[in-house]
Amino acid sequence: MMTQTHLVIAAALLAKPGAPARNRAAIAGALLPDLSIFVLFGWAVATGIPQETLWRETYWTEPWQTLGAISNSAPLWGLLALSLRALTGTWLSVTTVLPLAALTHITGDFPLHNSDAHQHVWPVSDWRFHSPVSYWERDHFAGIVAPLEAILGAGLSIVLIRRFQSIWVRVVLASLVLAYLAVPVFFVLSLST
């Protein structure tokens, strides 16, 4: 699943008007499982690693695999959520929302990764669920999944636009709706020429 979809899902489930710290925690939690990939990408750009080498080779080496396992570990995020829940007495405090958002990210990724499946139960096991469905691999139904993800992302963005009155939040969300719509429109137009 694309990172922006993880953000929109976490915001739809956990963000609320008038709670900026909680909302930032939801966004941060939704981003953290992908943080190692962003760092890897930035490092590759800075060091001149070609994109093909990055995703076919470098991504699969250490320390990147261990960092990805840590950031995508349901047991670690779950333990953190349970611990913070015990400390705060609520599931929806600023501190508990962060691991809950990370868990929503992991839950969304689990059924949508094939060749690039994460180690979602690390450190309990190195096992990876190689789903028959992928959000990006054409051989694994990405032609169906990607448009459905775009519909979900655009729809939840519209829900959030209605929920939040802040103009800058609405501008960001409207930009997401346009981005979700622009990709399919681009492919339809490029196929027709």
Side-chain angles (χ1 to χ4, degrees), residues 87-174:
L87 288 173
T88 63
T90 180
W91 281 112
L92 296 176
S93 70
V94 171
T95 54
T96 54
V97 163
L98 186 133
L100 291 176
L103 286 167
T104 65
H105 180 128
I106 292 166
T107 302
D109 270 353
F110 187 79
L112 297 176
H113 282 264
N114 180 276
S115 67
D116 60 344
H118 299 294
Q119 298 173 55
H120 288 300
V121 291
W122 186 92
V124 177
S125 170
D126 291 338
W127 175 79
R128 297 169 193 259
F129 173 64
H130 296 278
S131 175
V133 177
S134 170
Y135 77 99
W136 70 273
E137 293 176 276
R138 291 181 189 265
D139 294 345
H140 296 282
F141 309 103
I144 297 168
V145 174
L148 291 175
E149 180 179 350
I151 291 167
L152 174 66
L156 289 176
S157 295
I158 292 168
V159 167
L160 290 166
I161 287 170
R162 295 175 55 102
R163 184 184 303 170
F164 288 91
Q165 301 301 311
S166 167
I167 190 68
W168 74 268
V169 171
R170 286 180 164 188
V171 167
V172 168
L173 290 166

Side-chain angles (χ1 to χ4, degrees), residues 13-36:
L13 291 173
L14 300 166
K16 69 176 193 171
R22 176 176 153 174
N23 299 343
R24 285 190 296 273
I27 298 300
L31 281 172
L32 284 173
D34 282 347
L35 182 61
S36 63

